Amino acid sequence: MTISSEVLASAAADPTSPAWDFIWQESCHQGTCDPASAVLLPWLTRTCAAFAPEDRERAVVLAGFIALDADDAGRAAYAGEIATLRALAVDCLPGASSDSTFVYLQQAVLGFDGDEIWGKELDHLNDGEIDVQWPRV
């Protein structure tokens, strides 16, 4: 994973910058984030904190995916950042820009919590792809 300081600066300056697409592509592939992407968590914490709640949605969702896929050492090293990012994601929930964004934000919260199932799968609700098994009565 190689993301230049110029790309990070561009993304930090503008929540709608195309630099965010590059950061996503470099960090996450086909639903899994590179555990090495955990090094972005301090930068994501500062960046998300600087954005208004409505502007940080995409960034905080990315952070949730990265936190979930971080290895144990990464989660431990960035525990403070993960806690801050979780609070920033929760802060976004009441004003989520859409129903699907609400689901992604909730998924990010679950990712910060380390929920291996719903932290990876909750977004399937947006596409109607969740299979739920009901207990037999």
Side-chain angles (χ1 to χ4, degrees):
M1 177 188 76
T2 305
I3 301 173
S4 71
S5 58
E6 292 82 15
V7 169
L8 294 175
S10 177
D14 180 3
T16 63
S17 169
W20 285 104
D21 294 331
F22 182 78
I23 295 167
W24 272 86
Q25 291 169 352
E26 289 296 305
S27 304
C28 302
H29 306 281
Q30 298 179 345
T32 302
C33 291
D34 181 349
S37 296
V39 299
L40 291 174
L41 292 171
W43 174 80
L44 282 162
T45 303
R46 291 187 304 275
T47 300
C48 289
F51 289 159
E54 63 274 9
D55 292 331
R56 80 169 70 110
E57 291 175 341
R58 185 174 183 199
V60 81
V61 168
L62 171 62
F65 288 140
I66 290 172
L68 180 62
D69 286 334
D71 58 23
D72 291 341
R75 287 189 65 82
Y78 301 115
E81 287 85 354
I82 290 169
T84 299
L85 286 159
R86 184 188 189 284
L88 291 169
V90 168
D91 187 48
C92 292
L93 285 168
S97 60
S98 68
D99 291 343
S100 63
T101 299
F102 181 87
V103 171
Y104 289 121
L105 288 167
Q106 186 62 55
Q107 183 175 6
V109 170
L110 293 165
F112 295 129
D113 290 345
D115 187 317
E116 291 285 333
I117 296 173
W118 291 112
K120 291 254 187 212
E121 303 297 331
L122 191 64
D123 63 320
H124 293 288
L125 285 173
N126 288 336
D127 300 321
E129 296 177 1
I130 289 288
D131 290 326
V132 178
Q133 301 244 340
W134 295 100
R136 291 191 173 165
V137 200

